[in-house]
Amino acid sequence: MRLAVLWSSTIALILVSSLVLASDYRIAVVDPNTVVEQSPQYEAARAALQREVEDRERILREQQDQISALQGRLEREGALMSESEIQRLQNDIRSRTRKLKYARDEFQEDFALRQNELRTKLALQVREVIVEVAKEEEIDLVISEGLVYFSPRIDISAQVIERLKQEFGDK
């Protein structure tokens, strides 16, 4: 019994001393989703990506419209066409459909690659700003993803967003 009391006292002393030491540290939290979604860099990158995508999407739609027109022609005029004309038109439709599928796949890969490039660039920029804010505010530890709960008192996301807006305005 006496050993249990001594053991419990030792553990309590260790916990209390660690709490005293921990009070010397400043800890902050950054919500990465909020920072990214509210940063002007994200909006600018999204708009730039949208402009890049629009031309290729338009071309793909035009190709699909051409295929649909050829299929409509085959349905309407198929009964009046010779067997060789039908075969030639079917081959043309199959060929265009294959090319369109390849172009769509290539477009999706390019889009995903470009999107990842923009995300990576923005993530690096956000990280740099977080470090700047942490150094200025003399914060010892900044925690980001994987949080279940955090108090708004330790959230520096707003400061990071504000700094990102300043840096965006300076460019």
Side-chain angles (χ1 to χ4, degrees):
M1 175 76 169
R2 188 173 166 182
L3 184 61
V5 170
L6 182 62
W7 185 247
S8 297
S9 300
T10 305
I11 291 175
L13 184 60
I14 291 171
L15 288 174
V16 168
S17 65
S18 67
L19 287 174
V20 169
L21 288 174
S23 68
D24 294 334
Y25 297 105
R26 291 193 62 206
I27 298 173
V29 174
V30 172
D31 182 0
N33 293 329
T34 301
V35 169
V36 168
E37 289 171 3
Q38 293 183 11
S39 71
Q41 289 85 343
Y42 172 76
E43 191 57 39
R46 191 187 63 71
L49 185 60
Q50 184 62 37
R51 284 190 302 273
E52 291 176 20
V53 166
E54 286 173 350
D55 286 339
R56 286 182 71 180
E57 284 180 334
R58 182 184 46 76
I59 291 168
L60 291 174
R61 278 193 304 272
E62 288 172 358
Q63 290 174 350
Q64 180 62 52
D65 291 345
Q66 290 171 358
I67 291 170
S68 296
L70 290 174
Q71 288 172 332
R73 179 177 169 221
L74 181 62
E75 290 173 9
R76 283 188 316 275
E77 301 173 13
L80 304 174
M81 294 179 164
S82 69
E83 197 62 37
S84 64
E85 287 177 315
I86 292 173
Q87 190 65 36
R88 195 172 30 240
L89 190 54
Q90 287 174 336
N91 288 341
D92 188 26
I93 291 170
R94 264 193 305 275
S95 174
R96 288 176 186 239
T97 303
R98 259 186 263 116
K99 288 178 184 176
L100 178 61
K101 183 186 179 317
Y102 176 75
R104 279 187 181 147
D105 291 345
E106 184 179 41
F107 170 69
Q108 288 175 345
E109 287 176 19
D110 290 348
F111 179 74
L113 186 68
R114 185 72 175 115
Q115 202 171 25
N116 285 336
E117 287 172 0
L118 291 172
R119 270 196 204 122
T120 301
K121 181 181 174 185
L122 183 57
L124 290 172
Q125 192 174 13
V126 167
R127 181 178 168 81
E128 290 171 2
V129 170
I130 291 170
V131 170
E132 288 174 13
V133 170
K135 285 180 180 177
E136 288 173 9
E137 299 289 324
E138 297 178 0
I139 296 169
D140 299 301
L141 175 66
V142 177
I143 302 171
S144 182
E145 296 188 46
L147 300 172
V148 176
Y149 170 79
F150 59 88
S151 167
R153 281 183 317 147
I154 63 171
D155 187 1
I156 62 168
S157 299
Q159 292 165 286
V160 173
I161 292 167
E162 198 56 43
R163 180 70 54 86
L164 284 167
K165 287 178 180 177
Q166 289 172 357
E167 287 185 7
F168 187 76
D170 291 345
K171 289 183 180 180

